[in-house]
Amino acid sequence: MKAILPTLPRRLLVLALAAASVGGAYAATTAPAPTATTPDVVADHIDTSVKPGDDFFEFANGAWLKAHPIPPEESQWGIGQVVQDELYAKLRKISEDAAATKNAAPGSDEQKIGDFWTTAMDQALADKLGITPLNGELARIDAVHDVNSALDEAFALQLLGVGPFFDFSVQQDEKQSDVMAVHLWQGGLGLPERDYYFNKEKGVAKVRDAYVEHLHRTFRMLGKSDAEAANSAKQVMALETALAKVSRPLADLRDPEKNYNKMAPADLTTKYTPAIAWNTRLAGWKLPASTVIVGQPEFFSGLQALLAKTPTPVIRDYMRAHLVDTYASYLSADFDNEHFDFYGHTLNGQAEQKPRWKRALRAENKALGMILGRIYVKDYFSEASKQRYNAMVEAIRTAYGERIDKLDWMSPATKAKAHEKLAAVTKKVGYPDKWKDYSKLTIGRTSYAQNMMNATRWQTEDMISKFGKPVDRNEWEMTPQTYNAYYNPSNNEIVLPAAQFMIPGFADNQIDDAVVYGYVAASTIGHEITHGFDDEGRQYDAKGNLVDWWTKEDAARFKQRADVMVKQFNAYEPLPSIHINGEASLGENIADFGGIMIGIDAFKKTEQYKKGEKIAGYTPMQRFFLGYALGWLSQEREEQLRTGLLSDVHAPAKWRVNGPLSNVPDFYEAFDVKQGQPMWRPENQRVKIW
């Protein structure tokens, strides 16, 4: 994906392409050479003052980045945000047209979109209502008087997308991919990731202090005196810090075997959380599960200890804070601005809020994404485009199969299993073949926050309803208008939404194959397929089950090669004293590298590569690498860079270009990279996996 993460299940399910870019458009025909008055899709971005072997990201993208500073309402700016603006313009028209529809049938797509948009854009109504849309839940929190009543409300809040104490989901059983299972996962934190509570870097320490002040101001807005609010903020921070202490670090959450602990709900109660009668609680959600999959049992033990010793007033304040932060963006300006001040400004560096209409569209996508998607693809994505990208997936699949055959470190037995899995990868391109039924979702004009609560409850109940039913392998976790892509290991599928194939300012036939193969085939399609064979995805078989299909020797050889990449990325230091987490980002880094290698193989079969003619002064292979770098064209504020380094499994955009390319022989040849240049590595120190 690119700049804004889509709404995904709270427990990690898919391996997405999250970053600051967007996929490109595939050229059906060879592009005409640019003239003096026609811009070139990659050459015009180049900063010729930088040598390719010194910093290829800056060489390929530097001129554009210098000419396009980050706008004050953004935390990052690049091709992903430019594409998002194009999408916003199209979605705004859809929304305004629906709002202008007279006598829209109740329950129709037009009524839901029109009422949502009208209410979301009504700042005066939101200001008039203030906190009142949350009064019902706040009253229930006020009634909490002991651990049992606290759990009553905690479980009720889960249905509204508020996650006090822990996260839960109903998803495929990792070891029985044809069965929907209840998953329980660590959670309950207000900061992005557990290390935010402990990292000593001064920027992180400032964020911690700012978070306490944010809580302080929030409690004041909820009616506490200044002294009471300050005390409440301090105690809530202490509770969350204790939760963080018993939480696993980010890198440890990527081991599917260690995060798969299947047990009976009664055993979870007896062994780990005596205060939570899980059978009874799950039955309240209409989940008569005989087993649950617990990600981190020690976290739930820690939670049990905290429930036993935390004063009830602190638990009430903790729940109030999480409820308000979840819905603040849909309330009056005072709550909205307070939420932005911390989560937008402090954490991500935005100087000011985005226009209300863009924020309304972001919420509308979250609440009614697939309804908007039906209209979007009808108006903006052709069947011909869908078939074009289906064909490109097959070209990459073929190239990957040939690369597997050539591996000198993998045994024939494991190669056979790898081929079986590759052949079974399902591709979903553009939009779902079957659209989700939203008929039971009620959207009206009572309040913006009420519509968001209705949508979130509907989504949660829809997820719960899947329990006990056959797995729907046709379902999508992203909307067609999302500029991102993902691999789902349990389905062994790659999903490529329609918006992924946009390049702003260019039509399909204006982009040559070289750029497209770097921009789409390598950075998106090849990347997602490689996720099925990265350090995490490789542990799932062709049917999506978590099972070991590798020989012991091959697994050891894979790890040895992957460890080289871990070491490389651990050495990168984007901010003083904050390095990239090579362990946490390993899967994405392997996928980037694998996507490039496979994309090169596929591109070498094209007519453009074989002819070898230059366009805008660059050879086909040079344009391939420039196309890849274009896919990560982005710059971000220091605050967001820090947030990503501590909480994201994706490396920053610059290192997603320079990191993998420093291991690619064709890159060295294309740009004559020499020993002594920053991107040069000795041949025996380069990553060699796929």
Side-chain angles (χ1 to χ4, degrees):
M1 135 185 173
K2 305 343 183 155
I4 299 173
L5 285 169
T7 300
L8 297 175
R10 281 171 283 172
R11 190 185 63 82
L12 178 64
L13 167 66
V14 296
L15 301 166
L17 181 65
S21 109
V22 68
Y26 172 61
T29 59
T30 301
T35 66
T37 58
T38 303
D40 182 73
V41 67
V42 289
D44 284 13
H45 298 163
I46 289 173
D47 183 351
T48 56
S49 70
V50 179
K51 295 180 180 178
D54 289 350
D55 186 336
F56 189 70
F57 177 85
E58 290 296 335
F59 167 78
N61 297 323
W64 190 96
L65 295 173
K66 290 176 182 177
H68 298 85
I70 304 173
E73 69 273 14
E74 300 287 348
S75 57
Q76 68 183 90
W77 193 248
I79 194 167
Q81 288 67 46
V82 177
V83 169
Q84 182 64 72
D85 276 355
E86 286 195 6
L87 289 168
Y88 274 151
K90 294 170 181 176
L91 297 174
R92 184 178 189 176
K93 183 180 186 305
I94 291 171
S95 299
E96 289 178 340
D97 287 350
T101 302
K102 295 181 179 180
N103 302 318
S108 65
D109 289 353
E110 290 76 12
Q111 179 266 313
K112 288 183 171 72
I113 293 173
D115 283 0
F116 189 98
W117 176 256
T118 299
T119 309
M121 290 298 293
D122 194 340
Q123 179 73 67
L125 175 61
D127 288 343
K128 177 183 177 182
L129 293 172
I131 194 67
T132 58
L134 302 185
N135 277 352
E137 289 305 321
L138 288 170
R140 281 184 276 275
I141 292 173
D142 290 343
V144 168
H145 58 278
D146 59 11
V147 170
N148 195 56
S149 58
L151 290 168
D152 287 342
E153 180 57 15
F155 276 74
L157 288 172
Q158 290 277 353
L159 300 179
L160 293 175
V162 184
F165 303 137
F166 65 92
D167 283 350
F168 97 98
S169 60
V170 175
Q171 297 174 3
Q172 287 162 274
D173 185 327
E174 287 84 349
K175 295 190 176 183
Q176 289 181 276
S177 65
D178 58 343
V179 173
M180 300 299 287
V182 175
H183 291 75
L184 300 171
W185 200 259
Q186 67 186 42
L189 304 180
L191 290 172
E193 208 276 328
R194 58 94 64 193
D195 285 351
Y196 258 92
Y197 293 85
F198 310 113
N199 192 293
K200 298 184 186 304
E201 191 263 342
K202 65 179 183 179
V204 182
K206 288 180 179 179
V207 169
R208 280 196 295 272
D209 292 342
Y211 181 54
V212 175
E213 281 306 306
H214 162 65
L215 292 172
H216 179 191
R217 292 189 296 269
T218 299
F219 288 129
R220 277 210 316 261
M221 293 165 64
L222 288 173
K224 289 179 179 284
S225 69
D226 188 68
E228 290 173 331
N231 185 57
S232 292
K234 181 180 178 181
Q235 290 179 318
V236 168
M237 183 60 170
L239 173 57
E240 291 191 7
T241 302
L243 279 172
K245 189 174 183 179
V246 297
S247 300
R248 289 183 186 174
L250 185 64
D252 292 346
L253 298 177
R254 296 195 62 259
D255 187 326
E257 277 288 352
K258 289 182 179 178
N259 290 281
Y260 183 94
N261 302 280
K262 197 170 189 176
M263 61 189 74
D267 290 339
L268 175 58
T269 298
T270 302
K271 296 178 182 178
Y272 300 103
T273 56
I276 306 177
W278 285 100
N279 275 323
T280 302
R281 295 293 177 184
L282 293 175
W285 281 340
K286 298 180 181 178
L287 284 171
S290 59
T291 59
V292 293
I293 298 170
V294 183
Q296 306 78 28
E298 75 282 5
F299 170 82
F300 287 89
S301 292
L303 172 60
Q304 167 67 33
L306 286 170
L307 289 173
K309 70 181 183 182
T310 304
T312 301
V314 176
I315 290 179
R316 286 198 295 261
D317 282 337
Y318 166 77
M319 289 181 174
R320 291 182 185 113
H322 280 256
L323 172 64
V324 171
D325 268 333
T326 300
Y327 286 96
S329 299
Y330 322 119
L331 299 174
S332 52
D334 52 350
F335 285 98
D336 183 17
N337 290 336
E338 173 55 40
H339 183 268
F340 168 78
D341 184 66
F342 178 71
Y343 287 100
H345 178 64
T346 300
L347 271 181
N348 294 311
Q350 291 173 255
E352 60 188 47
Q353 288 252 42
K354 292 183 181 181
R356 187 172 183 87
W357 69 270
K358 288 187 177 181
R359 290 181 279 135
L361 281 174
R362 182 173 58 192
E364 190 174 8
N365 265 311
K366 183 177 180 180
L368 307 173
M370 283 300 180
I371 295 178
L372 285 170
R374 283 200 295 261
I375 302 171
Y376 172 81
V377 297
K378 180 182 66 176
D379 294 345
Y380 300 111
F381 189 70
S382 69
E383 182 62 27
S385 295
K386 184 171 183 173
Q387 296 308 317
R388 182 175 298 154
Y389 291 105
N390 273 318
M392 187 171 241
V393 172
E394 295 310 319
I396 291 297
R397 193 195 307 261
T398 297
Y400 205 167
E402 293 170 350
R403 181 159 284 276
I404 290 171
D405 285 336
K406 295 175 183 177
L407 293 177
D408 61 4
W409 59 267
M410 184 180 282
S411 69
T414 303
K415 283 183 179 181
K417 292 289 186 179
H419 276 295
E420 179 184 349
K421 181 170 185 178
L422 179 64
V425 172
T426 300
K427 61 180 184 291
K428 295 178 178 177
V429 177
Y431 52 88
D433 294 326
K434 180 182 179 182
W435 296 96
K436 181 175 285 291
D437 179 8
Y438 280 77
S439 60
K440 293 183 180 179
L441 170 60
T442 300
I443 297 294
R445 299 198 178 191
T446 302
S447 76
Y448 188 11
Q450 187 62 58
N451 281 338
M452 289 304 298
M453 285 191 282
N454 288 354
T456 305
R457 183 183 292 276
W458 179 88
Q459 290 167 354
T460 307
E461 291 179 346
D462 177 69
M463 175 185 69
I464 289 172
S465 73
K466 298 173 186 176
F467 182 78
K469 297 179 181 177
V471 172
D472 182 2
R473 295 182 185 265
N474 295 314
E475 190 166 13
W476 284 48
E477 299 291 345
M478 286 180 183
T479 66
Q481 65 275 20
T482 299
Y483 51 98
N484 201 346
Y486 68 88
Y487 172 76
N488 181 345
S490 292
N491 277 353
N492 191 25
E493 66 180 5
I494 60 170
V495 182
L496 311 170
Q500 176 70 3
F501 308 117
M502 292 174 62
I503 289 184
F506 291 87
D508 282 4
N509 63 1
Q510 293 176 302
I511 309 168
D512 54 300
D513 283 345
V515 171
V516 172
Y517 270 83
Y519 198 33
V520 181
S523 76
T524 301
I525 299 172
H527 172 101
E528 299 306 340
I529 288 182
T530 303
H531 266 315
F533 303 87
D534 68 18
D535 64 307
E536 185 175 2
R538 74 174 189 83
Q539 299 181 59
Y540 293 79
D541 67 9
K543 295 181 179 179
N545 293 312
L546 182 57
V547 62
D548 190 358
W549 50 270
W550 293 63
T551 69
K552 185 177 180 180
E553 294 76 16
D554 287 341
R557 285 190 284 263
F558 178 95
K559 186 179 186 303
Q560 183 182 33
R561 284 159 175 74
D563 285 345
V564 176
M565 181 159 277
V566 171
K567 182 178 179 180
Q568 286 183 6
F569 276 83
N570 277 339
Y572 291 129
E573 190 177 5
L575 287 174
S577 78
I578 302 184
H579 291 247
I580 294 175
N581 188 329
E583 291 83 1
S585 61
L586 178 60
E588 297 300 328
N589 300 331
I590 290 175
D592 286 340
F593 174 67
I596 292 167
M597 301 301 286
I598 303 161
I600 289 171
D601 288 353
F603 174 55
K604 287 182 177 179
K605 297 180 180 181
T606 66
E607 288 302 311
Q608 183 181 0
Y609 175 80
K610 294 174 182 177
K611 289 180 179 179
E613 297 174 356
K614 290 185 177 180
I615 296 177
Y618 293 94
T619 68
M621 189 55 73
Q622 288 175 328
R623 290 180 68 81
F624 171 92
F625 291 115
L626 291 169
Y628 177 80
L630 178 64
W632 304 113
L633 171 63
S634 179
Q635 54 192 331
E636 58 188 328
R637 300 189 190 278
E638 179 180 317
E639 295 88 344
Q640 174 154 309
L641 177 58
R642 178 179 288 105
T643 297
L645 287 170
L646 292 179
S647 63
D648 195 353
V649 296
H650 303 81
K654 177 177 180 175
W655 288 271
R656 296 189 71 174
V657 175
N658 292 353
L661 289 185
S662 70
N663 297 289
V664 177
D666 284 284
F667 170 71
Y668 282 70
E669 181 180 347
F671 289 98
D672 195 27
V673 180
K674 299 293 188 183
Q675 184 173 354
Q677 290 189 284
M679 289 191 64
W680 186 87
R681 295 184 187 277
E683 199 274 338
N684 63 355
Q685 293 180 21
R686 297 174 196 169
V687 174
K688 298 175 182 178
I689 302 178
W690 297 110

